[in-house]
């Protein structure tokens, strides 16, 4: 019997918005290369602050932003200014260093609901140049009682055009009333995070605020829903490198994180400038030295 472990997400706050953080958590740091899963909202936003996430730095990861409702404006130190809406993907690669903000788009007032996910970059690319991609539409795959939109990676031959540094899948699964079989790769470990409705699998119910870890070795998963349901499917080959995370940095060693922290704190050109009206975010040092 493959693994099944359903865990509670932690309530947290990002900028002005309440989030439910499904990863990382004690005992489960990664699912494939996925190392951070925030279910954002649903929350009401208004005006130019929007999500209200002021400029902050990243290293060694990709951020995946995907909305089911609302609008947000991404700005970064590469000079990008990109509005994102439901059905679209923002993928930012931090590599050696990037800074960004997530703000309101054109005075959007209303509900904001989505996810922000981080993918740990492998050593082959994690010290490389930063980059940003926006994809206005993504490939969809029909399922028995629903469909899957492939955000990143490959779901049984349906391949996202987004950059992908390791073998993985990230998909939005939309379910109608009924039972749906989703093909999986046996060499991937997988997890499911519910956004709306409820997913039944292997006798368990996964609703918003929970993550179901499915382990490795499954060639499919049977999902059932009795109401319109949205969930995020994440998977990948178990990440072979030790991931050390502190604040917005993903690295391998404390010294790398301290170096990035110092570079941000003194505002040197490693992270560049974000053209934002919000003041940059500063935090105290990591709880270790050297
Ligand atoms: Mn960020």
């Amino acid at each position: 019997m493959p693994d099944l472990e359903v865990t509670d997400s932690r309530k947290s706050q990002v900028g002005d918005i309440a989030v439910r953080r499904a990863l990382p958590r004690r005992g489960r740091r990664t699912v494939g290369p996925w190392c951070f899963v925030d279910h954002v909202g649903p929350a009401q936003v208004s005006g130019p602050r929007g999500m209200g996430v002021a400029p902050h730095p990243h290293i060694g990861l990709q951020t995946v932003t995907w909305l089911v409702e609302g609008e947000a404006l991404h700005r970064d130190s590469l000079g990008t200014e990109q509005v994102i809406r439901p059905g679209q993907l923002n993928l930012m690669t931090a590599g050696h260093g990037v800074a960004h903000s997530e703000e309101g788009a054109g005075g959007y007032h209303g509900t904001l609901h989505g996810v922000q996910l981080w993918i740990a970059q492998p050593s082959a690319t994690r010290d490389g140049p930063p980059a940003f991609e926006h994809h206005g539409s993504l490939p969809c795959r029909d399922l028995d009682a629903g469909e899957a939109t492939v955000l990143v990676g490959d779901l049984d031959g349906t391949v996202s055009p987004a950059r992908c540094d390791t073998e993985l899948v990230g998909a939005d699964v939309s379910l109608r009333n009924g039972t749906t079989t989703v093909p999986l790769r046996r060499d991937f470990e997988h997890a499911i995070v519910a956004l709306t409705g409820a997913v039944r699998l292997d006798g368990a119910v996964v609703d918003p605020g929970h993550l179901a870890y499915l382990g490795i070795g499954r060639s499919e998963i049977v999902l059932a829903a009795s109401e319109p349901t949205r969930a995020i499917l994440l998977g990948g080959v178990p990440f072979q490198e030790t991931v050390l995370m502190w604040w917005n940095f993903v690295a391998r060693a404390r010294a790398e994180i301290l170096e990035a922290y110092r570079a941000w704190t003194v505002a040197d050109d490693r992270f560049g400038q974000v053209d934002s009206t919000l003041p940059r975010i500063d935090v105290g040092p990591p709880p270790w030295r050297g």
Side-chain angles (χ1 to χ4, degrees):
M1 193 70 183
D3 291 345
L4 175 68
E5 182 184 81
V6 180
T7 54
D8 293 341
S9 303
R10 278 185 296 126
K11 290 191 169 68
S12 187
Q13 187 86 16
V14 172
D16 294 342
I17 297 207
V19 301
R20 288 174 274 189
R21 185 157 299 153
L23 272 186
R25 63 172 192 80
R26 200 182 300 275
R28 169 106 0 243
R29 313 301 298 175
T30 52
V31 176
W34 300 96
C35 61
F36 182 93
V37 175
D38 263 3
H39 178 185
V40 178
Q44 296 304 306
V45 298
S46 77
R49 277 187 69 82
M51 289 175 77
V53 183
H56 61 278
H58 287 291
I59 63 167
L61 61 91
Q62 294 179 297
T63 62
V64 172
T65 307
W66 172 254
L67 299 179
V68 296
E69 196 172 354
E71 291 180 21
L73 174 64
H74 165 99
R75 296 184 205 260
D76 66 37
S77 51
L78 299 162
T80 310
E81 198 177 305
Q82 179 67 57
V83 173
I84 183 172
R85 298 190 173 89
Q88 305 177 342
L89 173 74
N90 277 357
L91 177 71
M92 184 180 72
T93 301
H96 184 66
V98 76
H100 75 135
S101 65
E102 303 289 348
E103 309 174 18
Y108 173 79
H109 297 264
T111 302
L112 189 73
H113 188 197
V115 287
Q116 192 173 78
L117 315 168
W118 295 358
I119 300 168
Q121 289 183 255
S123 284
T125 66
R126 72 186 184 92
D127 208 31
F132 177 83
E133 290 174 18
H134 174 81
H135 296 275
S137 67
L138 292 165
C140 252
R141 187 201 158 92
D142 276 337
L143 301 170
D144 308 326
E147 59 179 20
T149 305
V150 183
L151 315 184
V152 196
D154 180 345
L155 181 68
D156 193 39
T158 302
V159 182
S160 166
R163 169 174 163 174
C164 193
D165 290 6
T166 50
E167 290 193 279
L168 61 83
V169 64
D172 178 306
V173 179
S174 180
L175 300 172
R176 301 183 296 274
N177 194 354
T179 299
T180 294
T181 301
V182 181
L184 302 177
R185 262 179 64 166
R186 290 184 64 87
D187 58 334
F188 280 13
E189 56 181 347
H190 292 91
I192 286 179
V193 180
L195 301 183
T196 60
V199 184
R200 293 195 308 280
L201 54 92
D202 287 3
V205 177
V206 187
D207 58 6
H210 298 93
L211 174 143
Y213 175 71
L214 306 178
I216 193 169
R218 292 174 185 262
S219 54
E220 61 181 36
I221 182 83
V222 179
L223 307 177
S226 47
E227 59 186 304
T229 290
R230 293 282 288 273
I232 298 292
L233 170 71
L234 302 173
V237 174
F239 204 65
Q240 296 302 317
E241 305 175 45
T242 302
V243 170
L244 182 65
M245 289 175 59
W246 179 80
W247 194 35
N248 297 305
F249 304 134
V250 173
R252 303 292 181 270
R254 288 178 168 185
E256 294 170 23
I257 286 181
L258 199 56
E259 199 182 347
Y261 167 75
R262 286 179 176 143
W264 176 252
T265 300
V266 301
D268 79 8
D269 54 12
R270 176 169 180 180
F271 294 104
Q273 295 286 324
V274 183
D275 182 18
S276 171
T277 53
L278 303 176
R280 48 176 261 148
I281 299 175
D282 279 297
V283 293
W288 66 81
R289 295 286 177 176

